[in-house]
Amino acid sequence: MRIVLQRVSTAEVTVVPEDGGEPEVVGAIEGPGLLALVGVTHGDGPDEAAKLAEKTWRLRLLDGERSCADLDAPILAVSQFTLYGDARKGRRPSWSAAAPGPASEPIVDAYVQALRDLGATVATGRFGAHMRVQLTNDGPVTLILDTADL
């Protein structure tokens, strides 16, 4: 599992309907807080989701070396399979390291639920939808968490 964390002062995710209908804001936070872009690979499960949720919640990325847990700061979690894209060969990325939707959606849901179980206020995108993410990166501060490194 791989997560890109960005410290934000605001963030929102809008779903863009495929039929050309009105875009809909489905998740938004006012910071200080974190935007978590969440990717799942083959073999990831609830244990990986729980570990990264704990790390996200307690990581001291906010001002004054404080965590979301310290400040009760919100988190916006957005699924992003492209975190497992591989562009080492050719001009077309390979997505083979990304778990397929039916396998990854429950893991993203487990990550969100684990954050909520820890006490976090979590807004989300909509799994599998075409989304636009807007954010104001504060710092800028961006970190990558990967279960391969834990």
Side-chain angles (χ1 to χ4, degrees):
M1 202 167 168
R2 185 173 290 156
I3 297 177
V4 174
L5 285 178
Q6 295 181 302
R7 184 173 76 186
V8 297
S9 54
T10 62
E12 73 176 30
V13 61
T14 302
V15 170
V16 180
E18 292 180 22
D19 64 4
E22 259 325 284
E24 174 191 4
V25 175
V26 295
I29 62 169
E30 291 292 324
L34 294 176
L35 169 64
L37 303 172
V38 183
V40 178
T41 191
H42 307 281
D44 284 340
D47 289 345
E48 288 79 10
K51 284 178 189 174
L52 288 185
E54 176 76 27
K55 189 78 164 176
T56 300
W57 183 235
R58 304 216 185 275
L59 199 59
R60 297 185 300 178
L61 285 180
L62 303 179
D63 282 340
E65 293 188 7
R66 292 177 291 180
S67 67
C68 286
D70 295 332
L71 299 176
D72 197 25
I75 299 166
L76 175 58
V78 179
S79 62
Q80 188 172 348
F81 78 93
T82 61
L83 293 179
Y84 278 100
D86 183 352
R88 290 179 288 184
K89 294 181 181 178
R91 295 179 303 173
R92 180 176 292 158
S94 167
W95 311 113
S96 63
S104 59
E105 185 174 12
I107 306 309
V108 173
D109 291 345
Y111 171 76
V112 169
Q113 188 58 53
L115 283 168
R116 288 178 175 149
D117 290 347
L118 291 165
T121 299
V122 184
T124 65
R126 185 174 298 149
F127 192 90
H130 181 94
M131 295 177 278
R132 292 184 185 141
V133 179
Q134 282 189 276
L135 66 132
T136 302
N137 192 317
D138 183 20
V141 174
T142 302
L143 274 177
I144 299 171
L145 304 179
D146 196 313
T147 51
D149 299 330
L150 295 180

